[in-house]
Amino acid sequence: MDIKELLGTVVENDYCIGCGLCASLTDSPLTMKINENGKYEPYLYENRVQDEMEISPLSVCPFAKNNNKETEIGKSVFGDIKNIRYDEYSGYYIKSYAGYVKEGDYRSKGSSGGMGNWIASQLLKENLIDGVIHVKSNSNDNEVLFDYQISNTIDELSRGAKSKYYPIEMSQVLQFVKENNGKYALIGIPCYIKGVRLLAEQDEVINERIKFFIGLVCGHLKSDMFAKSIGWQMGIKPDELTEIDFRKKLEDRAANNYGVEVKGENNGDEIVRSSPTKELYTTNWGQGMFKYNACEFCDDVLAETADVTVGDAWLPEYSKDSKGTNVIVIRNPIIQKIFANNMDDSIYIEELSSEKVYQSQAGGFRHRRDGLSYRLYVKDQNSEWRPNKRVKPSNKHSSKRKKIYVKRMQLSQESFKAYKIAEKENDFNAYIDYMDPLLKDYKKLNTPSLARRALRKVKREAEKLVRK
Ligand SMILES: Cc1cc2nc3c(=O)[nH]c(=O)nc-3n(C[C@H](O)[C@H](O)[C@H](O)COP(=O)(O)OP(=O)(O)OC[C@H]3O[C@@H](n4cnc5c(N)ncnc54)[C@H](O)[C@@H]3O)c2cc1C
Ligand code: SF4
Ligand code: SF4
């Protein structure tokens, strides 16, 4: 039976990203709960009869064996659009830009240039949708800090700006959409959008109601231990953390040198603390602490099945502006028109080539395309179950690169164990003690050799001379 197969493959082998699609289906015997590693996972309801379901969970799960269909979905949704282009990293696209919002406080309230919420606001303003399905602070539950909600006004939308590097699931919000007529836009990370596209192919109601998909560029997703560990390092115990802003802009610093702000209780008093992320132990994205294993097996960085994708323009010419700049990939002509109509007044945009779009996420692509090919190879060598991917398995990497990929995965996996030890000892230092040797090992491997550093220095000096 399909449920048994889903649990025995995707979930048991730790490829579940916790999206909740399987639990959203009519008659699903599954419900979503946060597990001991701080990630959502589907569980069987006790005593729920497992009848056949109209839509198989295997046909919508982003990590089921044969759902490596990003290119196929892209082709069927965007392939016939006039002037559409294709790039192996961006997927189908009409145009790509770097830019930010000039009007209102979208940019100051947003994670980067504020485009994510601005695009959604334009869809609301033009009555193309009635509501935006996106992630906001959860005021009903002290334990879960963020969840998917629906904003019907621009004011409600603005209260949900910024990135949530936190476990989120969609089962309840999708059930709401099925029960409540209306036109919606869904904002989400790439694998969630792919999953809902797969669902929409079979569920007429979802297909009719979710009119637009706004994708977020995605490096990887974090378990709730990421938020808790940040608070803990700043003096707020895990169960006393009440709010977190993962993307606090720091004036006069580069956009990629941002901070975090946490709120919580300490001996009965409410406290607010902030810190540049660079000063914290768990926040280096390259080290991947508290990363979902599924993210190691994902090749869609730019949400290729979304009508438009927004991310950070991590390019030196834009990163220096602390106010934040987006990279934007547009695939839907309606959204392209919204950009064309507003580019003189409300937004600032510059067209970007697909090469530049790639460069803005070069590290992510290296890890998720080159690195993935090696991880797939290792899985196959060990005869372990894995989902099919667009990337093919390969062993043709330098031995150093292979070691880096293995150590990175180890860092993520061990971070969960280390956190549980710290929790048991009620002391965050226990986390550091456990992780330090692994981290030193990884850093040694990742540090360029003396010769390479000397070469880079000579190159930099030569470039300076040329500029003079
Ligand atoms: C897990 C994760 C990993 C990311 N990794 C990268 C990366 O590697 N490189 C990169 O360039 N960008 C990455 N991003 C995207 C980046 O952090 C910003 O979200 C993006 O640049 C949009 O910024 P903005 O100012 O335009 O958005 P805003 O105007 O702030 O709007 C953001 C919108 O997204 C919604 N949202 C926030 N978090 C989530 C979530 N988890 N799921 C669904 N909706 C959400 C908000 O509710 C809001 O409506 C990531 C985002 C997430 C959530
Ligand atoms: S990835 Fe999503 S659909 Fe697949 S098992 Fe996990 S929660 Fe269910
Ligand atoms: S890296 Fe891929 S699997 Fe992980 S959250 Fe992002 S889109 Fe989903």
Side-chain angles (χ1 to χ4, degrees):
M1 178 173 167
D2 291 354
I3 288 286
K4 205 169 157 204
E5 188 178 334
L6 183 83
L7 296 177
T9 54
V10 178
V11 181
E12 207 170 293
N13 294 295
D14 201 16
Y15 290 94
C16 173
I17 193 65
C19 65
L21 271 157
C22 53
S24 78
L25 301 172
T26 308
D27 297 328
S28 174
L30 300 170
T31 180
M32 301 302 292
K33 283 189 211 160
I34 293 201
N35 67 16
E36 85 277 4
N37 286 325
K39 306 176 193 169
Y40 272 114
E41 207 177 81
Y43 288 84
L44 280 168
Y45 276 112
E46 269 173 50
N47 307 326
R48 176 73 73 93
V49 184
Q50 293 182 48
D51 289 331
E52 283 301 318
M53 289 153 66
E54 216 172 286
I55 296 177
S56 162
L58 291 170
S59 65
V60 296
C61 171
F63 282 91
K65 187 80 182 168
N66 294 316
N67 284 343
N68 50 331
K69 294 182 177 162
E70 291 82 354
T71 310
E72 232 171 288
I73 298 169
K75 187 164 188 227
S76 93
V77 182
F78 311 116
D80 293 335
I81 292 168
K82 201 173 153 211
N83 297 332
I84 198 83
R85 291 177 273 181
Y86 181 78
D87 171 84
E88 65 171 309
Y89 299 105
S90 293
Y92 287 87
Y93 71 101
I94 301 172
K95 280 196 176 175
S96 306
Y97 299 100
Y100 53 82
V101 185
K102 290 197 283 183
E103 68 170 320
D105 52 10
Y106 292 96
R107 193 182 189 194
S108 60
K109 281 192 168 167
S111 283
S112 28
M115 285 287 185
N117 264 7
W118 181 81
I119 296 166
S121 77
Q122 296 307 298
L123 297 174
L124 277 174
K125 238 187 205 168
E126 298 196 10
N127 286 324
L128 292 165
I129 53 168
D130 308 302
V132 181
I133 309 166
H134 66 143
V135 173
K136 301 174 82 170
S137 292
N138 179 359
S139 46
N140 302 323
D141 186 334
N142 291 340
E143 305 228 325
V144 178
L145 299 184
F146 301 101
D147 63 352
Y148 260 114
Q149 296 172 34
I150 298 183
S151 291
N152 299 107
T153 65
I154 291 177
D155 186 44
E156 284 172 21
L157 178 67
S158 80
R159 277 182 257 132
K162 290 206 178 175
S163 317
K164 283 79 181 190
Y165 305 132
Y166 195 85
I168 311 285
E169 67 91 16
M170 298 185 287
S171 65
Q172 290 179 15
V173 87
L174 288 175
Q175 275 158 11
F176 180 93
V177 169
K178 277 193 236 174
E179 285 158 17
N180 291 273
N181 199 1
K183 293 175 290 193
Y184 302 92
L186 171 74
I187 305 186
I189 45 181
C191 55
Y192 284 34
I193 292 193
K194 175 180 83 171
V196 180
R197 286 276 196 202
L198 289 170
L199 175 62
E201 283 174 4
Q202 300 174 75
D203 186 321
E204 259 176 52
V205 176
I206 291 288
N207 189 37
E208 267 300 298
R209 294 186 182 166
I210 305 189
K211 295 283 183 195
F212 293 92
F213 292 83
I214 302 174
L216 301 172
V217 175
C218 189
H220 61 261
L221 188 60
K222 300 286 193 184
S223 115
D224 77 358
M225 290 175 179
F226 182 62
K228 287 174 173 168
S229 75
I230 290 173
W232 208 353
Q233 290 167 80
M234 290 197 264
I236 297 173
K237 294 252 171 75
D239 55 352
E240 292 176 342
L241 179 70
T242 53
E243 280 178 45
I244 181 161
D245 173 355
F246 292 100
R247 294 288 299 257
K248 190 175 167 61
K249 288 176 181 170
L250 301 175
E251 242 178 85
D252 303 325
R253 295 197 189 211
N256 52 0
N257 194 357
Y258 56 84
V260 276
E261 185 169 280
V262 287
K263 264 191 205 164
E265 286 169 18
N266 193 314
N267 297 327
D269 295 328
E270 191 185 80
I271 55 168
V272 181
R273 300 223 168 115
S274 59
S275 162
T277 52
K278 289 206 164 136
E279 288 170 20
L280 299 170
Y281 193 83
T282 50
T283 46
N284 181 319
W285 278 78
Q287 292 166 5
M289 294 184 193
F290 311 120
K291 182 200 290 195
Y292 279 64
N293 181 59
C295 303
E296 300 283 25
F297 294 86
C298 165
D299 54 24
D300 183 5
V301 177
L302 289 180
E304 294 172 41
T305 65
D307 294 293
V308 58
T309 300
V310 291
D312 292 285
W314 294 141
L315 293 163
E317 56 271 41
Y318 303 112
S319 291
K320 56 181 184 262
D321 186 347
S322 64
K323 294 192 285 301
T325 308
N326 284 112
V327 61
I328 306 135
V329 180
I330 301 180
R331 305 184 181 90
N332 181 324
I334 298 173
I335 293 177
Q336 181 61 42
K337 199 161 164 219
I338 291 175
F339 269 66
N341 290 344
N342 287 280
M343 62 191 282
D344 293 328
D345 305 317
S346 310
I347 54 173
Y348 173 79
I349 47 173
E350 289 171 13
E351 196 167 342
L352 278 190
S353 64
S354 52
E355 288 76 25
K356 277 275 177 189
V357 173
Y358 171 88
Q359 279 166 26
S360 80
Q361 309 295 327
F365 276 117
R366 240 189 337 267
H367 186 74
R368 304 259 294 287
R369 297 283 171 99
D370 300 345
L372 172 57
S373 68
Y374 183 61
R375 290 188 287 278
L376 294 173
Y377 170 84
V378 173
K379 283 278 166 194
D380 291 350
Q381 286 299 299
N382 296 335
S383 306
E384 288 171 333
W385 187 90
R386 65 162 176 89
N388 288 331
K389 291 279 115 191
R390 294 177 297 175
V391 168
K392 298 287 165 247
S394 165
N395 188 26
K396 288 185 185 146
H397 305 72
S398 70
S399 66
K400 183 176 169 180
R401 248 4 270 168
K402 286 189 219 172
K403 277 188 200 150
I404 289 178
Y405 293 138
V406 169
K407 293 254 178 243
R408 249 188 220 157
M409 216 160 147
Q410 212 181 24
L411 272 182
S412 305
Q413 286 162 355
E414 294 298 307
S415 64
F416 293 98
K417 287 188 203 155
Y419 184 88
K420 283 186 222 161
I421 292 171
E423 232 176 11
K424 216 169 172 186
E425 294 187 17
N426 198 19
D427 183 1
F428 188 74
N429 288 318
Y431 180 86
I432 297 178
D433 290 345
Y434 187 98
M435 292 302 290
D436 249 355
L438 295 167
L439 204 51
K440 274 194 192 126
D441 230 25
Y442 171 73
K443 280 183 183 164
K444 228 190 282 165
L445 199 62
N446 229 355
T447 315
S449 66
L450 267 178
R452 205 170 307 150
R453 266 187 283 173
L455 195 70
R456 275 193 201 158
K457 198 170 169 202
V458 171
K459 233 171 142 189
R460 271 200 307 273
E461 293 302 321
E463 275 167 10
K464 267 191 217 159
L465 280 175
V466 171
R467 277 203 295 272
K468 272 182 193 165

